[in-house]
Amino acid sequence: MGKIKKILISNRGEIAVRIIKTAKKLGIKTVALYSDPDREGLHVKLADEAWHLPGSTSAETYLDVPKILEACKALNVDAIHPGYGFLSENADFANKVREAGIIFIGPSAEAIETMGSKLAAKEAVSDFGGVPMVPGMEGAIDDIQEAKRTAKEIGFPVLIKASAGGGGKGMRVVENEEEFEEQMDRAISEATSAFGDGAVFVEKFIMNPKHIEIQILGDEHGNIIYLFERECSIQRRHQKVVEEAPSPVVDEVKRAAIGEAAVNVAKACGYYGAGTVEFIYDENGEFYFLEMNTRLQVEHPVTEEITGVDLVAEQINIAEGNAIPFKQEDLKINGHSIEIRVYAEDPLNNFLPDSGKLNQYTRPTGDGVRLDDGFEEGMEVTVFYDPMIAKLITHGKDRAEAIEKMNKAIDDYKIGGIATTLEFCRFALNHSDFRDGSFTTKFVEKYFSPELLKAANEDEQEIAALFAGYDFSQNKGQVLDIQNSESNWKNRL
Ligand code: ADP
């Protein structure tokens, strides 16, 4: 270890740009990687050097470990930042990087491995103690009768989950005993084909939950601190679209309790680096450990905005072997921050990914407005990678001001040539359930319909306000169907 002089970013798009910005600030040189379709990418323009990975698919390019290590050698790189997605949670990659004498900006391979398996994570965390767990099985299903007994004990509906699952995939809700076997068979075959690992387990299905997660930082000197919570309950297909910090429903006492539970999760796997501990939060305010993401999270900017901490700078500092330069009690929440994810997706057509040329692209600006993006006007959004174009983040003295700034920024943000989630996010922000904080992960299926969005687009807030509070679940049937079968998008976060 020691001072890092040159970082290769094994990623693309907005997160590569984001990492380059901090590296520049710290006087560290950067190397960008680019596939054929990313030749003109903003990250390529901003990095000091760039290395071509021939090909278009992720497997041919940003996932090709030997080619990435070759670039490091050729350009004399001393550290790799993996960003999120791609190789960021691949223990084997972390090992290979370190074996090549390069600093991996992330946790130990062991921590990645333990937390990459939902079952191994549950085991490590429950053995360590001090963390509320979702009631359910401790190991994978190997005896169906026993699994059914557990399901009956915890009470239907239950969730069958793939141990290797990720990106919202590999989950099945079982509403009663009669359908248990059928759903279990389906879950096993889905898990086997999607993740090459058929291990599934049963846990209680929490009705109308919120998704609340804690940002943590740990160093190699045994310090672990939490940087408060992020509220990420507005999701479509179990994927976040709107995030904020702090959560409108978490008070000081609860915040300290969840924060301490998150620190215990990190301790359970000897964690260092930046990480996120996810919890599911029920209607009574009880919270349970879901999983830990052993990397920088897409929604990390809202935490940066309310704490003033540059998380990428801290990741680099920790990777250099230094201690975290502040203590838990030094951290304070300043105001409120909201992030919306601008995906190339059509909310009017079941959020189906879109692609094409950005023939208009005007960025919003203003006090308390931050845009993390990787595109410019005239660039193509391709079908090869995750369709996220940008993250729009606002910071205000309180929640109302952050929302107000976001509404204005959405007005100013002009994207032409492609369908986006921008107007959907406006719809969510101005819904009465979002405003009063009562929204849950069921928000989209409960309240959203393309007709409503069309109407809102025609007459903006007026009509949206008229319909806000109308419960669309009445018309939609299958409220509990949380399957994601039509989406085969990889690397979703
Ligand atoms: P993944 O690794 O695929 O992201 P998670 O375990 O993080 O899976 O869960 C993703 C989302 O699925 C959560 O944010 C939540 O909306 C929902 N979910 C997960 N577990 C449960 C549960 N036990 N009850 C209800 N919803 C759940």
Side-chain angles (χ1 to χ4, degrees), residues 427 430-433 446-449 451-456 459-472 475:
F427 168 86
N430 295 303
H431 193 279
S432 57
D433 272 26
K446 211 168 161 198
Y447 294 124
F448 180 67
S449 82
E451 293 70 38
L452 198 55
L453 186 63
K454 274 185 206 150
D459 207 350
E460 301 220 347
Q461 278 95 326
E462 234 173 273
I463 294 178
L466 206 66
F467 282 89
Y470 181 72
D471 188 346
F472 276 87
N475 308 338

Side-chain angles (χ1 to χ4, degrees), residues 118 134-135 159 161-162 164-171 195 203-212 232-233 235 238-240 278-280 290-291 293 441-442 482 492-493:
K118 291 191 200 297
V134 185
L159 194 58
K161 258 188 181 177
K169 281 185 278 175
M171 285 185 259
F195 313 110
E203 70 180 27
K204 182 156 187 62
F205 182 69
I206 312 282
M207 304 291 271
N208 300 315
K210 278 176 159 297
H211 174 118
I212 299 219
C232 311
S233 301
Q235 306 178 350
H238 292 270
Q239 298 290 315
K240 304 155 189 168
E278 299 189 332
F279 294 93
I280 194 150
L290 258 190
E291 64 167 353
N293 293 322
T441 59
K442 298 278 165 283
I482 60 166
R492 286 302 192 81
L493 300 150

Side-chain angles (χ1 to χ4, degrees), residues 79-93:
I80 289 189
H81 195 306
Y84 53 68
F86 295 118
L87 295 164
S88 60
E89 288 174 290
N90 183 321
D92 192 42
F93 179 60

Side-chain angles (χ1 to χ4, degrees), residues 155-174:
F156 287 96
V158 297
L159 194 58
I160 299 184
K161 258 188 181 177
S163 178
K169 281 185 278 175
M171 285 185 259
R172 292 230 149 226
V173 178
V174 189

Side-chain angles (χ1 to χ4, degrees), residues 358-423:
L358 288 170
N359 53 31
Q360 186 191 10
Y361 192 73
T362 311
R363 295 187 172 95
T365 53
D367 181 38
V369 176
R370 164 175 170 182
L371 187 70
D372 282 18
D373 65 356
F375 288 91
E376 284 186 316
E377 197 164 287
M379 284 183 182
E380 289 271 338
V381 179
T382 76
V383 296
F384 295 109
Y385 316 110
D386 183 89
M388 196 174 74
I389 300 171
K391 300 173 327 201
L392 179 56
I393 303 117
T394 57
H395 181 239
K397 66 178 186 307
D398 52 25
R399 192 168 186 258
E401 192 180 280
I403 296 176
E404 193 187 316
K405 285 185 181 180
M406 186 61 84
N407 271 322
K408 165 84 172 54
I410 293 173
D411 284 343
D412 295 348
Y413 199 1
K414 305 280 182 240
I415 304 179
I418 219 161
T420 74
T421 48
L422 210 47
E423 288 303 328

